[in-house]
Amino acid sequence: MHELIPFAKEMLSQKPNRKMVKLYMLGSVLAFFGVVIGLVETVCSPFTSQGMLDEEKKPTPTREQMLAQKQEDLILEKSKKAVGTQRALVTRQHAS
């Protein structure tokens, strides 16, 4: 901030051309939007963290649910392996 005021005085004393003024205005506007977005994010962050805490409080799965999930995962793995082997065989037949 201490460097900004002398810089502005120097720019005004040199009478910059229009392109430079437009460039500095664009940079200033982008910086302003960055500050506004940062402030909005800071203000809204307590609400989003509260939502995350609510999601973390979900009940833990029971043992039966965990076993069922493991069985589903095993079935999916086996089906993927079978498809992969079939594909490899088909590729070999066409390659020869």
Side-chain angles (χ1 to χ4, degrees):
M1 187 66 183
H2 298 287
E3 298 170 358
L4 187 62
I5 294 171
F7 177 72
K9 286 181 182 178
E10 183 180 334
M11 287 298 295
L12 290 174
S13 68
Q14 291 182 0
K15 307 226 177 186
N17 58 12
R18 284 185 167 203
K19 287 183 180 180
M20 291 303 287
V21 171
K22 287 181 182 178
L23 184 65
Y24 286 120
M25 288 302 295
L26 176 65
S28 300
V29 168
L30 290 175
F32 177 75
F33 282 139
V35 168
V36 169
I37 290 171
L39 287 173
V40 168
E41 187 175 334
T42 303
V43 169
C44 294
S45 66
F47 302 114
T48 57
S49 64
Q50 181 63 32
M52 289 179 189
L53 289 175
D54 291 341
E55 290 175 2
E56 289 176 0
K57 292 181 182 178
K58 290 181 180 176
T60 57
T62 62
R63 186 164 189 228
E64 292 82 22
Q65 290 174 341
M66 290 175 61
L67 289 174
Q69 182 65 34
K70 284 183 183 179
Q71 287 176 349
E72 289 176 12
D73 292 342
L74 286 173
I75 292 170
L76 285 174
E77 276 185 36
K78 287 181 182 178
S79 66
K80 287 181 183 177
K81 286 181 183 177
V83 170
T85 337
Q86 278 182 329
R87 184 142 179 107
L89 292 175
V90 170
T91 316
R92 287 186 193 150
Q93 289 175 356
H94 293 291
S96 57

